[in-house]
Amino acid sequence: MNAYISHILFYLILFSMTSYANPFLTARYTTPYQTVPFNEIKEEHYKEAFLKGIEEQLTEIDSLLANKTTPTFENTIVALEKTGDLISRTSAVFFNLLHAETNDTLENLAQELSPILTEHSNKIYQNQALFERVKAVYAQKETLTLTAEQQQLLENTYQAFVRSGAELSEKDKQTYTELSTKLSQLTLTFSQYVLKETNAYSYVITDEKELDGLPDYAKEAAAEKAKAKNQEGWLIDLSMPSYLPIMQYATNRELRKKLYFAYNTKGNQGNEYDNKQTITDIVNTRLQLAQLMGYSNYATYKLVRTMAQDTSKVYALIDQLYTAYQPVASQEFDEIQAFARTFENNATGELMPWDWAYYAEKVKEQKYQVNDELLKPYFELEKVKQGVFGLATALFDLQFTKNTSIQVYHPDVDAYEVHDSKGNFIAILYTDFHPRESKKGGAWMTEFKEQWIENGENSRPHISIVMNFTPPTATSPSLLTFNELTTLLHEFGHALHGMLSNTTYASLSGTSVYRDFVELPSQLLENWATEKEFLDTFAFHYQTGEPIPSQLIEKIKKAEQFLVGYACLRQLSFCYLDMAWHTLSTPFSGDVKSFETDAWKKTLLFEPITETCMSTQFNHIFSGGYAAGYYSYKWAEVLDADAYEVFKQQGIFNKKTATSFAENILSKGGSEHPMILYKRFRGQEPTIDALLKRNGIK
């Protein structure tokens, strides 16, 4: 018996002596729609379930290999696809809560389990006998009679083995295992450090004059935060609903500067949560792994399985966008700086990064007479949510019904049944809107259960959207900023991709698509945020009930292109930074901040601030799956602008267009190559023209 199996059996024997019932170990949950029984799950259940799941999957694979008949698509590829159910069910809960409702126990458990799970995955994908069966089927791919989805599953399965080191020597396989295991722990450490840095900071203000300029809703929220911490005054932290109003509205420049430094120095303070060494270890481990696999750098290795395919196409896209937007961004910068000097009556005053949002907001108000304080009363969260649900009804005939009998993982979370107009069950949707210390920052969509079809049963998905929106206060409900409205639409677009999935195989369902295609549905849905026909369905003043005035909607539309160059350059700076880290061809041993400054210097409009660092808190590329993939946001923006042209031409609520998008994009998941799917909907490949037109560049 090898050491790996002995290690697993030891833990299984240990946990077999426990007397409590582990809900993960039941074949099917007995809850409504077999939803996760969150109330029954204890922290100690995860490890037991993972280890039992590993044992089960190894047994399933042994059975697969015991089949001595000629390898076929069904007895090898499909059989492998169906293994590991217990691991999948446990992972869905554990890793989702690790982001949405975490604690020190879960964080420590993740560090312990991550190498075990990575080792297990490598054991499967480096199993030579299993690979020989997969390879035998793959060798027949041109003669097999397979559907497009079956062909995609075969391709994905074969590539998963190859890209996990199946063709390496035994020595190199061991190296691959060591590197991938190390990488899984490093990426976890990175995100944990960012969260701990975020939660560690708070600033209590006792003199209300320090908050001059801040809207009443922001002051009230700060007062409630202080009260919750048994503090007098107003508490500001680094959650976006707390941080952003300070940067946009506070007349106290020193306060803005203080918060700016707190926010932008996360992971770069030389303390126990400093991420600079973590970054060095991550990029060097990724480089080693890529070179072990025969690639010159990690980006080249990663991009093979994307629409872009190689680094040259990524740089071609972001360079093209830089050329188009940089002159506009420079003009915008000059405009804000000139205004700031006039506003302060100081011709020599230097515009600093902590001034940008404040003066940009002033210019926006002056030019368009619109701001968040004017808009928020019309964006009550509950009404916005119903409006977004209504959009899904109008486009895709979906109906949403809250179900309080479905267990949730936190009181803030709501669960909805989703049906179509014929009453057919489509999905479960969980919504989780407000920040808390146990939740990581940002916004995302995920799933607790994938969609799949087997033996005539279409098993429907359980989808979750998680955000960090402005919470309600003692005197008002949760009122969203316009940016929060677009964020909700964005994540709901991802949710539609998951909910409307209709694939045979779970690994191809929903958002299981190429990284540079996954943002298309989410960014497409953002387009409705400025459409009067949509806003008129839900944007009513929370106190008076009056609909949002038409002239205010016009102002929103006119402001749509405000600082579009600056916004594009900011995202391009992240793209260039990401690519710089992942096109390294020799190990990194330099200074993280210096490397960052050099990587994105051509996109910078401000002089670099020595103490701040984006890399040390850049979760997307160092722990969130977007390594060598941040460009996909811009690529998807090209796609969504091009796709929305069809809706604009046919009508933004046109059922035929929506049905085509659902049938050709949303329902297909990763069952075919994304360009094939896109062309089937659009009738042509995308061009950059629609984006330039939408942004007023062309």
Side-chain angles (χ1 to χ4, degrees):
M1 185 182 295
N2 66 40
Y4 171 72
I5 299 297
S6 298
H7 175 70
I8 298 301
L9 287 177
F10 169 77
Y11 279 111
L12 289 171
I13 292 169
L14 177 66
F15 281 105
S16 68
M17 295 185 289
T18 56
S19 58
Y20 52 80
N22 187 330
F24 291 121
L25 301 186
T26 59
R28 295 166 74 95
Y29 301 138
T30 57
T31 49
Y33 302 102
Q34 297 176 51
T35 48
V36 178
F38 291 106
N39 298 345
E40 302 164 30
I41 296 172
K42 297 179 172 61
E43 290 170 348
E44 57 265 31
H45 289 159
Y46 293 113
K47 188 171 182 177
E48 180 186 20
F50 275 124
L51 295 174
K52 179 65 174 175
I54 288 172
E55 180 196 29
E56 284 187 3
Q57 189 169 28
L58 291 174
T59 300
E60 291 163 350
I61 288 172
D62 284 344
S63 297
L64 190 162
L65 292 174
N67 186 344
K68 300 306 179 183
T69 60
T70 302
T72 65
F73 179 79
E74 285 295 329
N75 71 22
T76 300
I77 307 303
V78 175
L80 180 59
E81 165 79 5
K82 292 179 180 179
T83 67
D85 176 66
L86 178 53
I87 293 178
S88 297
R89 287 192 293 118
T90 309
S91 294
V93 180
F94 179 75
F95 288 105
N96 283 334
L97 296 197
L98 194 64
H99 288 82
E101 183 58 14
T102 192
N103 56 45
D104 287 343
T105 301
L106 292 188
E107 299 282 350
N108 293 333
L109 190 56
Q111 287 287 358
E112 180 186 354
L113 289 172
S114 180
I116 295 174
L117 293 170
T118 302
E119 181 182 4
H120 173 63
S121 176
N122 288 335
K123 287 283 182 181
I124 294 173
Y125 287 112
Q126 293 178 9
N127 183 318
Q128 194 60 38
L130 185 57
F131 181 49
E132 290 302 324
R133 288 188 67 92
V134 170
K135 195 160 54 171
V137 180
Y138 190 73
Q140 308 170 55
K141 66 176 184 174
E142 301 300 332
T143 58
L144 295 175
T145 305
L146 301 176
T147 65
E149 183 177 358
Q150 290 171 330
Q151 291 172 10
Q152 193 65 52
L153 180 64
L154 175 57
E155 184 69 30
N156 287 1
T157 304
Y158 176 76
Q159 291 297 337
F161 277 86
V162 172
R163 292 173 66 78
S164 296
E167 295 183 318
L168 297 175
S169 67
E170 289 305 313
K171 179 182 177 182
D172 286 346
K173 284 180 182 178
Q174 181 59 36
T175 302
Y176 180 95
T177 297
E178 291 169 0
L179 291 172
S180 56
T181 300
K182 180 181 179 182
L183 194 55
S184 67
Q185 289 178 300
L186 286 168
T187 53
L188 266 176
T189 297
F190 185 94
S191 64
Q192 289 172 359
Y193 282 4
V194 173
L195 179 62
K196 288 181 184 300
E197 284 272 71
T198 302
N199 287 342
Y201 183 86
S202 64
Y203 178 57
V204 177
I205 295 170
T206 55
D207 183 354
E208 191 170 3
K209 289 182 179 178
E210 281 195 67
L211 298 174
D212 282 354
L214 213 62
D216 289 341
Y217 72 83
K219 286 197 282 190
E220 186 175 359
E224 293 198 0
K225 280 180 178 287
K227 184 178 179 181
K229 296 282 188 180
N230 295 316
Q231 302 269 10
E232 294 293 329
W234 299 264
L235 188 148
I236 309 297
D237 60 29
L238 299 184
S239 65
M240 197 52 65
S242 180
Y243 171 77
L244 192 57
I246 296 292
M247 305 311 293
Q248 283 184 307
Y249 298 111
T251 59
N252 185 336
R253 193 178 189 226
E254 284 304 309
L255 177 61
R256 298 199 307 267
K257 181 178 179 180
K258 182 181 182 71
L259 266 292
Y260 175 85
F261 272 89
Y263 192 92
N264 291 283
T265 57
K266 289 182 289 188
N268 188 41
Q269 301 187 64
N271 58 15
E272 59 183 318
Y273 304 130
D274 193 287
N275 258 330
K276 292 192 288 295
Q277 186 59 49
T278 316
I279 289 172
T280 299
D281 292 342
I282 288 173
V283 296
N284 287 343
T285 304
R286 284 174 175 167
L287 175 60
Q288 283 181 271
L289 192 150
Q291 292 183 338
L292 179 70
M293 298 298 292
Y295 296 87
S296 59
N297 57 59
Y298 187 76
T300 304
Y301 166 67
K302 184 78 176 291
L303 289 168
V304 169
R305 300 284 288 166
T306 64
M307 294 181 79
Q309 296 183 311
D310 58 55
T311 58
S312 65
K313 290 180 181 176
V314 173
Y315 277 114
L317 170 69
I318 60 180
D319 286 345
Q320 185 181 15
L321 291 171
Y322 175 81
T323 300
Y325 284 83
Q326 197 280 333
V328 178
S330 292
Q331 291 173 8
E332 292 168 346
F333 185 84
D334 291 344
E335 178 186 8
I336 301 299
Q337 182 164 251
F339 175 83
R341 286 173 176 166
T342 302
F343 189 87
E344 295 290 352
N345 195 26
N346 181 1
T348 61
E350 183 180 8
L351 187 70
M352 298 300 288
W354 48 88
D355 299 321
W356 179 262
Y358 177 74
Y359 289 116
E361 189 68 24
K362 296 291 184 187
V363 172
K364 182 179 176 182
E365 289 180 26
Q366 187 181 79
K367 293 178 73 169
Y368 306 106
Q369 295 82 51
V370 65
N371 58 41
D372 281 334
E373 202 166 2
L374 274 174
L375 295 175
K376 279 172 71 78
Y378 296 99
F379 297 150
E380 181 183 349
L381 175 57
E382 283 304 311
K383 286 189 171 63
V384 171
K385 188 165 60 175
Q386 293 308 314
V388 173
F389 287 169
L391 178 60
T393 303
L395 294 176
F396 308 112
D397 289 329
L398 299 181
Q399 309 290 332
F400 297 79
T401 306
K402 188 174 178 178
N403 186 337
T404 56
S405 68
I406 293 176
Q407 296 177 33
V408 294
Y409 57 85
H410 189 276
D412 285 352
V413 180
D414 290 326
Y416 294 84
E417 295 179 28
V418 185
H419 293 81
D420 66 16
S421 58
K422 297 178 181 178
N424 298 311
F425 174 64
I426 300 299
I428 295 296
L429 176 67
Y430 299 91
T431 63
D432 182 359
F433 289 123
H434 303 302
R436 52 183 177 267
E437 289 188 359
S438 58
K439 183 196 289 189
K440 289 177 169 57
W444 61 92
M445 165 269 180
T446 187
E447 59 192 13
F448 286 103
K449 180 194 169 298
E450 301 157 313
Q451 175 270 328
W452 42 262
I453 300 172
E454 185 176 1
N455 298 326
E457 177 192 2
N458 192 327
S459 185
R460 301 309 302 166
H462 302 167
I463 305 300
S464 176
I465 51 176
V466 186
M467 277 147 275
N468 282 274
F469 288 162
T470 305
T473 67
T475 61
S476 71
S478 176
L479 302 174
L480 304 189
T481 65
F482 183 74
N483 183 61
E484 289 175 329
L485 166 63
T486 59
T487 298
L488 177 50
L489 284 166
H490 180 103
E491 299 308 331
F492 191 74
H494 283 310
L496 287 170
H497 205 174
M499 290 189 293
L500 292 175
S501 176
N502 195 36
T503 64
T504 302
Y505 307 109
S507 67
L508 301 177
S509 69
T511 56
S512 300
V513 300
Y514 283 175
R515 180 65 69 180
D516 50 3
F517 190 63
V518 75
E519 297 296 337
L520 168 60
S522 57
Q523 293 188 186
L524 177 73
L525 221 65
E526 290 183 42
N527 287 281
W528 273 264
T530 55
E531 296 287 1
K532 184 179 186 303
E533 289 176 80
F534 172 58
L535 292 173
D536 282 345
T537 65
F538 69 89
F540 300 94
H541 197 287
Y542 81 101
Q543 291 174 316
T544 67
E546 292 295 314
I548 188 169
S550 296
Q551 58 267 35
L552 193 51
I553 297 176
E554 280 303 306
K555 290 174 181 179
I556 294 172
K557 289 191 73 68
K558 287 178 181 178
E560 199 173 7
Q561 295 174 357
F562 180 62
L563 300 186
V564 70
Y566 178 86
C568 181
L569 225 61
R570 181 175 180 272
Q571 273 205 301
L572 289 178
S573 72
F574 300 154
C575 297
Y576 283 113
L577 179 59
D578 172 31
M579 292 302 290
W581 279 120
H582 295 109
T583 52
L584 287 168
S585 57
T586 57
F588 178 75
S589 60
D591 178 71
V592 168
K593 173 64 176 181
S594 298
F595 181 90
E596 173 178 291
T597 301
D598 187 61
W600 65 6
K601 62 184 177 184
K602 76 176 186 179
T603 65
L604 298 183
L605 297 172
F606 290 101
E607 287 296 315
I609 305 295
T610 304
E611 298 88 342
T612 65
C613 189
M614 174 63 188
S615 296
T616 54
Q617 57 183 300
F618 203 169
N619 269 321
H620 271 77
I621 69 170
F622 290 121
S623 69
Y626 278 83
Y630 198 86
Y631 76 90
S632 61
Y633 283 101
K634 300 311 294 180
W635 172 237
E637 207 172 336
V638 171
L639 290 174
D640 95 70
D642 188 71
Y644 195 60
E645 285 288 298
V646 183
F647 283 94
K648 288 172 67 177
Q649 292 164 7
Q650 304 298 327
I652 65 168
F653 292 122
N654 183 273
K655 280 283 180 63
K656 183 178 179 182
T657 305
T659 300
S660 175
F661 190 76
E663 291 178 349
N664 292 307
I665 306 290
L666 299 177
S667 70
K668 295 295 185 180
S671 61
E672 292 185 69
H673 191 282
M675 188 57 80
I676 293 174
L677 298 178
Y678 186 80
K679 288 168 66 177
R680 197 175 291 155
F681 164 71
R682 187 68 171 95
Q684 63 186 42
E685 290 195 6
T687 70
I688 197 173
D689 293 347
L691 177 61
L692 297 180
K693 179 181 175 183
R694 183 173 73 187
N695 289 163
I697 305 297
K698 182 177 179 179

